Amino acid sequence: MQIIKVLLTGAALMTAVPAFSQDSGTIVAGQVVNRTAGDPEVVTWNLCDPIVNDRMGTRLAEDGTFRFETGAITRFHNATINCGKFINFFIAPGDSVHLTIDAAKLREGAVDAVRFGGSHAADNARLYPILDYLYERLYSYPEPLDITAAPEAVIAQIRERTGQASDSLDVYMRRKGIVLNEAVRDFVRRDMIFTLANQLLEYRQDDPAGRLELFGDPFFGIHDTLNFNTMMFPYHLRAYMQTKISADTAVIAAGERGDFVTAARGGIRILADESATASRDAMLWGYLSHILEYFPALCDSVPEARSAFLDPALGKRLEALCRKMSGAPSFSDTPVKGVAYLNADGTVEAVPEGDMFAYLAAKYPGKVLYIDIYATWCGPCRTEMKEAPALHKVMHGRDVVFVNLCLGSDKEAWLKTVAQMNLQGENYWFDADATQLFLGAYNLSGYPTYILVGKDGRIATMKAERPSTLTQVSRQIDGLLAE
């Protein structure tokens, strides 16, 4: 077995980025070597940024090379490359990171399957061999965290599990000859805490006071901005923000009735009570950018939204997002292959390689398309499938086509799900490469996602309402049918 020895030399992990920077260009590039016919042909970069949590995808060149460039990274944190397996690495605004990925070793789970160059190369070399092992330890318990317990009991569980995982990791590192500097050790500690805390997102949904007590407990350090070093922290921060705002029933009611001006101003008022840190800015960004998905006129109607941030760069970024959201989403054609279509007689046929939205618009001209993007293993997806028949009934006889796109799932599981859930409409399945390329090309962050395409064949919104919100989604579709 090859031994990796990483010495305590070189610069420590970056620990001080005071604001959300506007970088001029961050590059992640590399090459996948020793590939076989069964290896992925697509690689995706999940930016995992607390402000711009985008996803980018590209097909490998013939020699296995790939390259991404973006100006979206706002501060130092860990992100992931997916090449059939997730690869963690550190990234900061303006960085250039290079990865050489040995596909054969990656399949075997070898600790030296990836070589790093460029920015943070030494720390990335320390990080890569341990995170998979660490996550396996954190999730090795036969039962998840008990999210019915009192807040102090939940935190005690997290302390116990992170302590045990840390002890196990120490043994593993000694066996592999891996030595971490204190900065990477600090990152690992924070990453363990917020990886486990991600299990708490469903904690006592009907108990705002209990949720706020848990998510805001000093143990988590809501305003400790070094927590941003782990990509898992923003999920916890957003849960805290949502819980705090949800406690104001007037603000929630305003959002539900479509009064987004009142909802935005209420959220700004509530979050102004938080400490003046980057965490407050991140929470405010998460709240206002979510409202923007439904109300692109936010910056014009609530001008104080732009000046509510401590970091002026975020106000400018919000204004730019307002302008972008005011227009219909547009994407360059992204040829995808590896898509199958389920015919009415139960046979399956291949869809020609090409841009999926162009294909759908040509196949169903003059129709409004309501597109459900799901995975067979996704619980919320299946819950929404049970609500879909009511929406189908409301839209019966109208120029609406319901399209179901199954991603990230086994083909047999897809066919079984279509039958079990009685999925009405047009059913398509994407293989692993098609899934990654489609998710990256259209910056889709999770399941389920609902998209509306107008009668003109253009994407109207990438954030359509779910079937369970029957009144709201019917209103969205009615608006497109009337155009």
Side-chain angles (χ1 to χ4, degrees), residues 342-344 346 348 374 376 382 385-386 389 404 406 410-425 427-428:
L342 180 61
N343 290 302
V348 176
Y374 73 95
T376 58
R382 300 177 77 91
M385 289 171 186
K386 297 175 183 177
N404 307 306
C406 180
D410 178 77
K411 194 172 186 178
E412 292 304 315
W414 164 58
L415 294 171
K416 185 176 180 179
T417 298
V418 171
Q420 283 182 340
M421 305 302 295
N422 192 25
L423 290 188
Q424 301 301 306
N427 287 288
Y428 295 84

Side-chain angles (χ1 to χ4, degrees), residues 139-154:
Y139 289 111
S140 63
Y141 286 83
E143 298 294 335
L145 294 174
D146 179 7
I147 62 172
T148 66
E152 62 271 17
V154 172

Side-chain angles (χ1 to χ4, degrees), residues 286-306:
Y287 182 69
L288 293 178
S289 61
H290 178 70
I291 289 179
L292 258 181
E293 295 173 357
Y294 306 95
F295 186 56
L298 173 66
C299 291
D300 293 331
S301 302
V302 189
E304 62 267 35
R306 288 169 290 187

